[in-house]
Structure formats: C-alpha cells, structure tokens
C-alpha cells in the first residue's frame, strides 16, 4: 500500500496538464538532438574517433610495449611526476605503437612523425583509466583486459599531453604522459 494513495484510482487516465506535456515534449526532443549529435560529431567533429577493441591481458600488452621500446628508443626524459626516466620511442611510420596506462603514468613517450599514420594501441595494465589527448581533446576509455586500437595521423607538430580523465586513485592528477610530433 502506498504511503499517500492517489485520490483517484485511475490516476493514470487523467489528462496531462498542458505545462507538463510541454516539458515532456521539450525533454524528448532534446534527447533526440543529443542522440543525433553523437552521430553528427563522429562524422563532422574530430573528437569522437573510431576505434576497435580487442581482449588482451596485461602481461601480453606489456611485452608488446616493451618490445617496441627495446627496438625504437631514441632518448630519455624525466617523468612529469617523479625523477624517473621515461624512454622516448620513435617507431617507424605505419607501424603498431603501444601506450600503457597504469598507476600513475602513460608509458612510454611516443615520438611520431607529422602526416604519417600509426596504429595506436592503448591499454590499462591495472584498472580503468581515461585517455584524454590535449589540446586536441580526443578521448578514449581505457579498460583493463582490452586494448583500444585506432589509426592516428598527427596533423600538427608539437608536444601533446596525455591526461588521465577517469579517476583512478590518489595519483590520478599526476597521471600525465606525452606524445611528441616531429617533422
Ligand atoms: Cu589514471 Cu586517473
């Protein structure tokens, strides 16, 4: 039994007040606008990029990343959040490049060539992170157990910052990485 039972038992058949109906229609239409905006922005915008996702375990992904680092490291840089050195890796254009998200860093630093395409693989080896590439504002969810794969072709030279935008613990705000784009 309801705490305050409706006065009329056929409450669901009462006419809807005009103002309420107006709001229902506005909310419905706005929902449609936002739904089609997602599709529109995938085609016209530059943030909702296409990606593929494949199952992969942390160990395999770490091995693949390490193999790329061993082959193509061209330098070292101090990490943004500690005194550790982070390898700067320049894999050949057209190749598969790997980026690990983990507590609390993006590893390694990738150095890519402007105008060349790469297959970027991103995965978490612990728990959920979010890849946010700034200032271009491209976002990808990074889940443990899956690698997100997308084809990227950097258009501009410079240093791009990878920010974690999914709260992942005490060091979340320090989880910063870099992607360098050179000629
Ligand atoms: Cu990783 Cu927040």
């Amino acid at each position: 039994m309801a705490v305050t039972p409706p006065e009329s038992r056929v409450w669901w058949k009462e006419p809807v007040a005009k103002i309420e109906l107006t709001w229902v229609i506005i909310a419905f239409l706005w929902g449609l606008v936002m739904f089609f905006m997602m599709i529109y922005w995938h085609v016209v915008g530059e943030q909702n990029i296409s990606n593929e996702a494949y199952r992969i375990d942390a160990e395999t992904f770490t091995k693949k990343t390490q193999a790329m680092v061993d082959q193509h490291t061209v330098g070292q840089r101090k990490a943004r959040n500690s005194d550790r050195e982070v390898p700067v890796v320049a894999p050949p254009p057209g190749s598969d490049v790997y980026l690990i998200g983990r507590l609390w860093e993006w590893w390694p630093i990738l150095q890519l060539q402007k105008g060349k395409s790469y297959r970027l693989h991103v995965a978490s080896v612990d728990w959920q992170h979010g890849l946010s590439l700034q200032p271009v504002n491209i976002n990808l969810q990074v889940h443990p157990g899956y690698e997100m794969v997308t084809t990227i072709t950097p258009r501009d030279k410079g240093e791009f910052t990878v920010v974690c935008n999914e709260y992942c613990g005490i060091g979340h705000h320090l989880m910063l990485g870099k992607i360098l784009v050179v000629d």
Side-chain angles (χ1 to χ4, degrees):
M1 198 173 109
V3 179
T4 51
E7 278 172 36
S8 162
R9 288 183 59 106
V10 288
W11 55 269
W12 45 271
K13 250 181 148 178
E14 282 171 24
V16 180
K18 211 173 172 189
I19 187 75
E20 188 176 6
L21 190 64
T22 306
W23 279 111
V24 167
I25 291 169
I26 290 173
F28 178 74
L29 291 178
W30 185 241
L32 284 182
V33 167
M34 290 199 292
F35 176 78
F36 286 106
M37 195 66 197
M38 289 194 293
I39 299 161
Y40 171 78
W41 205 241
H42 174 76
V43 177
V44 175
E46 297 178 326
Q47 276 94 35
N48 287 3
I49 56 173
S50 302
N51 71 273
E52 298 147 47
Y54 303 99
R55 275 186 188 280
I56 194 162
D57 60 274
E59 199 187 332
T60 309
F61 194 79
T62 305
K63 269 188 197 154
K64 286 185 171 192
T65 310
Q66 189 64 55
M68 173 195 72
V69 170
D70 291 344
Q71 263 196 305
H72 302 295
T73 294
V74 292
Q76 302 282 334
R77 268 204 190 192
K78 278 244 184 318
R80 288 279 291 271
N81 58 358
S82 75
D83 282 339
R84 272 175 314 103
E85 296 279 316
V86 182
V88 177
V89 184
S95 68
D96 290 87
V97 302
Y98 298 86
L99 184 63
I100 288 178
R102 63 187 171 204
L103 304 172
W104 282 283
E105 62 174 359
W106 298 99
W107 191 91
I109 294 171
L110 295 170
Q111 181 180 302
L112 309 176
Q113 283 179 39
K114 183 182 152 185
K116 300 286 163 60
S117 295
Y118 301 82
R119 288 282 283 168
L120 174 67
H121 300 240
V122 189
S124 165
V125 294
D126 36 55
W127 59 62
Q128 189 175 0
H129 301 285
L131 179 147
S132 175
L133 185 66
Q134 297 300 334
V136 283
N137 199 23
I138 286 170
N139 294 281
L140 280 176
Q141 285 286 329
V142 185
H143 299 275
Y146 291 90
E147 59 170 353
M148 307 305 261
V149 186
T150 184
T151 302
I152 56 164
T153 311
R155 224 177 17 202
D156 301 306
K157 279 205 309 182
E159 291 199 14
F160 297 85
T161 301
V162 182
V163 179
C164 181
N165 65 357
E166 200 67 63
Y167 182 70
C168 57
I170 196 86
H172 163 70
H173 64 291
L174 299 172
M175 187 165 167
L176 299 165
K178 277 261 178 241
I179 293 180
L180 314 177
V181 179
V182 298
D183 274 326

